[in-house]
Amino acid sequence: MKTLVLAIAAIAALTAGAHAQSYKIATEGSYPPYNFTDDSGKLGGYDIDVGTEMCKRAGVECTFITNDWDSIIPNLLANNYDAIMDDMSITDERKQTIAFTDPYFPPDPSTYLTLSTTKVDYANIKGMKLGAQKATIQAGYLDQNFKADNTILTYDTQDQEMADLNAGNLDIIFLDGSVVAEAVAASGGKLKADGPEILIGDGVGVGMRQSDADLTKKFDTALAAMKADGALDALIAKYFPEKAGGPFYKK
Amino acid sequence: MNLIETLLAEIVRMAPAALFNIYFAFAAIPVGFLLAIVFALGKNARNPLLNRLSRIYIYFFRGSPFFIQLFAFYSLALAFNVSTWKPLGIDWLVLNPLFLGPAILMLNTTAYTAEIFYGALITVPRGEVEAARAYGMTRGQRFRSVTWPNLIRLAWPAYTNEVVFLFQTTALVYFTLPVIGDQRDLMNTAEVLFQKDYNVFLHFGVAAGYFLAISLAIFFLFGLIYRRLMRHMPQQATMRFSWQRLFGQAPQ
Amino acid sequence: MLVDWLPQGLKDILGPDVIFWLGYITNGKHLNWYASVQYTLAAMLLGGAVALVVGVLAAAARNNGPRPLRWLAAGYINIVRGVPDVLFFLFFPLAFEQGLEWLYSLQVCTADTLALNVGKWPPCPAANLSFNSVAYLVLAGVSLGIVYGAFIASVVAGALQSVPQGQLEAARAYGMSRIEVLRRVHIRQMWVYALPGIANVWMSIVKATALLSLLQIFDFVAWAQRLGASNFSKAAGLVHDDWRWRYYLVLLVFYVLVTFVSEKIFSAIGSRLRRGMPMAEQGLT
């Protein structure tokens, strides 16, 4: 028994890495413009830039790792990493298992994305194929409101639902407004978003374990500083050129 | 007892999901069975084109993972949506996981079953075939009276194994194809429930239990059929749970 | 970037389009993809090695062990054959990590830290084990090995029975002890009968490595999915439609190639094992 414990301790020591002030932040890596892997293989995006700056101001060392959306919360709870920055909306359901920092993106209503050729009566959506990413606030909203008269398809990643929309297998997808705006701008007229905007959730925050209250506070302070001196606004302008109405935080 | 209540509740919750897995497997079997005969005969054919095509098909589908086949065929089908399926009006069918899943499963199981049937085909007693020829039977009569009965009898144990593996592979279908509404299979339901309370052992354990139970049921059913197939043979043959009796066929 | 090293003359001959695509398939993201083959291959080899060890041990226990060990081995073999490997893949690393943490917490956690963390996992913060990606790769290989070890156990059990009894009896007659007979004659002669079955199980292990991406291991498959995904954001790189089926085709060809090479290797091993043996060729299916 003793040798077993020693062996486990050895494994823990080997795999732990530098504990002091070094944290791992998980992101999906395939949710542009919040996070993506660019063509040189490096992680980039709004979440990564905000996270790097936030850690710098909090005086801690952070590395970003990728994890699929499905298991991003369970792996946080299993202590595989210390924070989640993946355009994760603050909801009451999620607050039951994890904690959040203050929001680091202005309130972002979700909206509908369709092909330019699709005509949709948004007051009365019937018999259409709607898509959303699994386990997101948008999937929950579609499930609550449109299940009765429409077909709802859920996908593992954002690009899968985009591919299905572009190939005509879906009529409408329901996404964060900030992502929709960028997608419409980049599509050169192929996509349009003329549906209503629906605010779900309480903003986008960094997901933390409930037991890490100190770290959460540190991150909150850093984010507040970034909001006050315009750093956050600069990043929003960089990654979301279509988002009108800035600056959002700098007084 | 609390544990038994939880287990029973879990079993009841997962029961409808098991139907999806069973549906996928049994929707893929009939056409797969028939096509496998075609490919097995093709692999044994003297015509070099037929021979080559059959071998390539079997090699390709046995040599690549089913997981990737699912992804690949879904993307391919999607790529043809605008150009082919929509004009024909069948896009609702082709891209529906309830059709596409069994379709790709069918392509996969055809290759494995064809290999099993081919192995049995070359082991059919030469003497019986020659006797049938000597009697002047046509090719069709020969196949129906001599080759086919021997083939199915020789192949049945390995084929049973293949059906069990097919059933287990259906677990992968909803990992790759989009989930429509609430149509979830066992693995998907286990994952959704796991996301709620992070209890690995309960949800995946019950799902594993379902797979095990249905696999055993398949073994039992096919064992009964085997007994009927062998009813005229000298000793009472039963299919045992053992590998060495099978054609050395391993899981995909 | 690698394209920059081509001589200008060659660049002129190929033309700007070809140069662009050459540059694209050698950009950093693609190079990561090619490099990730090592994880897939590592998992294959580790899985195969563990499966072989576990399989031989389980077969030995099933046939020759004491009664409870025999039941354990039989139970292991039958249960693993009845459950899909993907389920083991998702279940085993989580369960293993939790199991290790529980064992560790028994020693490391004091009563008061336990009281503070009631209802949470791990039982106390000191018992937390954080695995890095190498550890997860090893864990994945071990999961593969445990699942396919059951199949190898069946193959080896059958092969052990196929060794001609005469050889074993002759060895005993010569005065070798049971262990010596096992070691020098039985197991050595068993391999040639086990080889076709082991080759088949190896093919299954090769194909099972496609599931590594489900364990958050960035292997060949995971990168291909990310590369093929349609991209609308210029910041993220080249804007393109859904290219997935092209990348999946490459994956399929890769696996067929590995199957092809494996078949050749097993064929060579088979011929070597069979040298000097007067028995009929057992073809690999």
Side-chain angles (χ1 to χ4, degrees):
Chain A
M1 190 62 193
K2 263 269 174 72
T3 42
L4 184 62
V5 173
L6 280 174
I8 297 175
I11 298 174
L14 277 174
T15 58
H19 259 313
Q21 306 298 290
S22 167
Y23 299 104
K24 286 195 266 198
I25 305 182
T27 188
E28 207 181 332
S30 48
Y31 196 79
Y34 282 92
N35 50 76
F36 49 76
T37 318
D38 67 16
D39 273 356
S40 67
K42 283 206 301 287
L43 274 176
Y46 182 70
D47 284 326
I48 280 80
D49 283 0
V50 169
T52 321
E53 183 63 26
M54 175 181 79
C55 288
K56 200 160 82 179
R57 291 184 190 227
V60 298
E61 213 184 286
C62 294
T63 39
F64 273 88
I65 60 166
T66 32
N67 198 80
D68 283 343
W69 177 249
D70 276 343
S71 54
I72 208 165
I73 294 186
N75 284 340
L76 175 74
L77 296 173
N79 287 279
N80 287 1
Y81 36 80
D82 306 295
I84 300 174
M85 289 190 77
D86 190 7
D87 189 28
M88 181 170 272
S89 300
I90 304 170
T91 65
D92 291 327
E93 197 188 327
R94 286 178 186 152
K95 279 208 267 209
Q96 287 174 4
T97 40
I98 61 176
F100 285 96
T101 62
D102 295 331
Y104 63 89
F105 195 81
D108 188 24
S110 311
T111 189
Y112 303 95
L113 184 64
T114 62
L115 291 175
S116 313
T117 48
T118 318
K119 296 261 178 296
V120 182
D121 177 11
Y122 286 102
N124 190 15
I125 302 181
K126 270 200 189 354
M128 309 221 97
K129 292 168 95 173
L130 297 124
Q133 195 179 356
K134 275 186 202 160
T136 53
I137 51 176
Q138 289 89 8
Y141 182 83
L142 289 183
D143 208 48
Q144 270 181 326
N145 297 295
F146 298 113
K147 198 152 81 160
D149 303 314
N150 302 279
T151 325
I152 301 181
L153 290 88
T154 43
Y155 296 84
D156 279 324
T157 61
Q158 180 211 75
D159 58 86
Q160 283 177 1
E161 53 178 353
M162 291 280 201
D164 267 31
L165 179 73
N166 281 312
N169 190 31
L170 284 175
D171 296 312
I172 311 172
I173 57 179
F174 193 41
L175 277 177
D176 293 319
S178 47
V179 179
V180 167
E182 301 305 316
V184 168
S187 72
K190 189 165 175 213
L191 300 170
K192 69 173 162 80
D194 53 3
E197 294 187 335
I198 300 154
L199 188 59
I200 317 171
D202 301 321
V204 172
V206 179
M208 313 282 302
R209 281 186 289 272
Q210 289 171 340
S211 50
D212 281 346
D214 294 332
L215 189 59
T216 314
K217 249 193 285 273
K218 259 197 209 156
F219 284 159
D220 275 334
T221 324
L223 284 173
M226 285 169 71
K227 288 177 191 172
D229 70 9
L232 214 58
D233 284 321
L235 285 171
I236 295 175
K238 175 178 171 193
Y239 285 104
F240 300 94
E242 299 299 314
K243 192 159 174 70
F248 300 95
Y249 289 113
K250 180 148 190 205
K251 304 285 183 279
Chain B
M1 200 173 105
N2 205 9
L3 182 62
I4 301 203
E5 278 172 12
T6 334
L7 268 177
L8 280 177
E10 190 73 17
I11 292 175
V12 166
R13 225 179 320 182
M14 286 214 179
L19 292 173
F20 277 98
N21 290 88
I22 298 177
Y23 162 72
F24 284 138
F26 285 94
I29 287 176
V31 184
F33 189 82
L34 294 169
L35 271 182
I37 304 173
V38 171
F39 278 105
L41 291 172
K43 190 169 173 183
N44 200 31
R46 246 171 307 182
N47 179 346
L49 184 67
L50 262 174
N51 197 322
R52 196 54 70 76
L53 281 175
S54 305
R55 279 173 197 265
I56 289 177
Y57 177 88
I58 294 175
Y59 197 76
F60 183 74
F61 276 91
R62 287 185 84 223
S64 49
F66 177 64
F67 192 52
I68 311 291
Q69 286 166 13
L70 273 173
F71 277 125
F73 281 99
Y74 182 69
S75 310
L76 266 174
L78 205 60
F80 284 109
N81 193 26
V82 175
S83 53
T84 321
W85 317 133
K86 268 213 148 116
L88 288 173
I90 53 173
D91 60 310
W92 59 272
L93 176 72
V94 173
L95 292 172
N96 192 332
L98 291 178
F99 170 80
L100 201 57
I104 306 173
L105 271 168
M106 183 267 291
L107 290 175
N108 193 39
T109 185
T110 300
Y112 281 92
T113 314
E115 186 64 24
I116 295 172
F117 284 176
Y118 174 73
L121 189 63
I122 59 179
T123 330
V124 166
R126 200 64 73 76
E128 293 189 21
V129 178
E130 286 179 357
R133 258 177 149 174
Y135 267 103
M137 286 190 182
T138 65
R139 233 197 324 204
Q141 286 174 322
R142 256 201 328 267
F143 182 76
R144 246 181 317 120
S145 309
V146 177
T147 319
W148 173 246
N150 274 305
L151 191 159
I152 193 65
R153 231 190 332 271
L154 288 162
W156 199 253
Y159 181 60
T160 307
N161 237 42
E162 164 56 26
V163 171
V164 170
F165 287 129
L166 176 69
F167 174 69
Q168 291 176 3
T169 342
T170 62
L172 287 172
V173 172
Y174 275 124
F175 271 97
T176 51
L177 303 182
V179 175
I180 296 189
D182 277 336
Q183 297 167 357
R184 289 182 218 281
D185 73 332
L186 280 169
M187 287 301 293
N188 235 308
T189 316
E191 268 200 283
V192 162
L193 291 172
F194 171 72
Q195 301 281 359
K196 297 226 178 87
D197 62 8
Y198 309 121
N199 187 345
V200 168
F201 293 94
L202 178 65
H203 303 301
F204 286 108
V206 172
Y210 262 107
F211 277 107
L212 193 56
I214 301 178
S215 301
L216 288 173
I218 296 178
F219 258 114
F220 178 69
L221 258 166
F222 278 60
L224 290 176
I225 302 180
Y226 190 59
R227 203 127 18 115
R228 185 166 165 77
L229 281 175
M230 299 290 267
R231 66 193 182 279
H232 64 287
M233 302 299 259
Q235 57 195 144
Q236 186 61 278
T238 47
M239 219 157 46
R240 282 195 271 131
F241 226 42
S242 64
W243 267 106
Q244 46 269 36
R245 293 182 148 265
L246 307 177
F247 269 47
Q249 187 233 349
Q252 52 243 62
Chain C
M1 216 188 70
L2 290 175
V3 177
D4 300 332
W5 293 345
L6 292 175
Q8 189 56 37
L10 188 59
K11 279 199 207 170
D12 290 336
I13 296 175
L14 291 174
D17 279 337
V18 175
I19 292 295
F20 173 73
W21 290 115
L22 267 180
Y24 184 64
I25 63 173
T26 52
N27 67 17
K29 211 167 169 183
H30 279 84
L31 291 178
N32 280 348
W33 180 36
Y34 307 142
S36 65
V37 161
Q38 60 184 317
Y39 298 122
T40 308
L41 292 174
M44 269 181 220
L45 292 168
L46 183 63
V50 172
L52 207 58
V53 168
V54 170
V56 170
L57 286 175
R62 173 88 177 272
N63 288 334
N64 305 317
R67 197 70 72 82
L69 204 61
R70 212 179 281 198
W71 287 339
L72 199 67
Y76 157 67
I77 294 173
N78 288 326
I79 289 181
V80 165
R81 278 186 55 201
V83 173
D85 53 359
V86 65
L87 205 146
F88 267 108
F89 264 33
L90 293 178
F91 168 85
F92 183 72
L94 283 167
F96 187 74
E97 195 178 347
Q98 280 189 5
L100 267 187
E101 283 177 348
W102 178 74
L103 274 174
Y104 198 40
S105 71
L106 287 177
Q107 285 286 310
V108 163
C109 290
T110 59
D112 40 336
T113 52
L114 278 173
L116 278 175
N117 281 295
V118 159
K120 289 194 237 153
W121 190 267
C124 67
N128 175 45
L129 288 174
S130 169
F131 285 7
N132 60 15
S133 58
V134 170
Y136 265 110
L137 190 65
V138 168
L139 214 50
V142 170
S143 311
L144 264 173
I146 291 182
V147 172
Y148 290 99
F151 294 107
I152 290 198
S154 299
V155 169
V156 166
L160 281 172
Q161 282 186 3
S162 310
V163 173
Q165 276 292 94
Q167 297 194 11
L168 304 176
E169 285 172 7
R172 284 291 282 157
Y174 265 100
M176 294 192 203
S177 72
R178 286 178 71 103
I179 298 285
E180 279 178 338
V181 170
L182 193 70
R183 211 167 29 93
R184 290 185 191 173
V185 180
H186 204 175
I187 291 192
R188 285 212 180 142
Q189 294 291 61
M190 174 265 294
W191 290 116
V192 69
Y193 296 96
L195 201 68
I198 291 181
N200 273 319
V201 178
W202 168 256
M203 301 303 183
S204 310
I205 293 177
V206 165
K207 283 174 281 179
T209 57
L211 297 169
L212 281 177
S213 51
L214 295 175
L215 287 173
Q216 314 305 326
I217 292 175
F218 278 83
D219 69 332
F220 206 51
V221 174
W223 275 109
Q225 287 175 322
R226 277 154 194 262
L227 279 168
S230 62
N231 179 37
F232 68 82
S233 165
K234 260 197 247 290
L238 184 68
V239 174
H240 62 87
D241 284 333
D242 190 27
W243 282 348
R244 283 176 297 166
W245 63 266
R246 300 180 172 103
Y247 286 89
Y248 290 137
L249 224 57
V250 171
L251 287 178
L252 288 174
V253 168
F254 165 74
Y255 276 102
V256 172
L257 269 174
V258 174
T259 305
F260 181 74
V261 169
S262 304
E263 258 180 30
K264 291 279 179 264
I265 294 180
F266 273 101
S267 207
I269 297 178
S271 333
R272 189 161 164 77
L273 280 178
R274 272 195 291 276
R275 67 189 193 287
M277 286 185 99
M279 49 178 256
E281 274 262 321
Q282 277 183 307
L284 293 170
T285 39

